[in-house]
Amino acid sequence: MGDTAIETAPMLAMKGGMSTTSCTFDECYASNCNKKVAPFTCLFHNGGPHGGCSPTPWIEGTCTKQCDLSHCSDLDIPDDADSCEKTCPKEVCIGERLCGHDAPFQCTSGSATFGCSKGKLEWTLKTSSDTCSSCCDAKTCK
């Protein structure tokens, strides 16, 4: 029973009439769902944003529009994606809490202010704007 039950569970949910598509680039990075544990995200329900996460596709009546986050890592990041590769403002550079060269991308606004990252996209694509709404490259400070 073990493997069969696991394999058929998503198909039972699909029979409820909901269609599931792969998430777009923007949907992938806007979701807070764990792609490995609960890859089905509900985008809208009853005309408004929902944001719920599920290990199986949503059944009819519980979600109006959903997508599958399973293939997000296969999507190419556009060249024009917002990143922290920008000059830090003077007030950030003269501060005492500046990120080092090993993790130079610094959050400058939001709950993660003064946070440092190795990745230029960590504070833009991979984090909500409440957490970090602006960032810069501390290596630009002289």
Side-chain angles (χ1 to χ4, degrees), residues 43-98:
L43 303 170
F44 293 99
H45 183 58
N46 289 333
H50 189 272
C53 309
S54 175
T56 59
W58 294 80
I59 58 173
E60 191 171 351
T62 61
C63 178
T64 310
K65 182 182 179 194
Q66 66 179 313
C67 68
D68 181 355
L69 298 162
S70 299
H71 302 288
C72 290
S73 60
D74 298 337
L75 298 173
D76 291 329
I77 296 173
D79 292 336
D80 62 348
D82 189 25
S83 80
C84 295
E85 283 186 316
K86 46 190 145 197
T87 303
C88 288
K90 186 176 185 176
E91 59 272 11
V92 170
C93 292
I94 61 173
E96 295 179 21
R97 297 173 70 182
L98 196 60

Side-chain angles (χ1 to χ4, degrees), residues 68-134:
D68 181 355
L69 298 162
S70 299
H71 302 288
C72 290
S73 60
D74 298 337
L75 298 173
D76 291 329
I77 296 173
D79 292 336
D80 62 348
D82 189 25
S83 80
C84 295
E85 283 186 316
K86 46 190 145 197
T87 303
C88 288
K90 186 176 185 176
E91 59 272 11
V92 170
C93 292
I94 61 173
E96 295 179 21
R97 297 173 70 182
L98 196 60
C99 294
H101 284 273
D102 57 334
F105 301 107
Q106 183 154 352
C107 177
T108 57
S109 180
S111 62
T113 297
F114 302 115
C116 304
S117 173
K118 291 180 180 183
K120 65 181 181 179
L121 301 172
E122 192 65 36
W123 300 123
T124 56
L125 284 182
K126 300 178 180 180
T127 306
S128 73
S129 60
D130 290 338
T131 304
C132 186
S133 59
S134 64

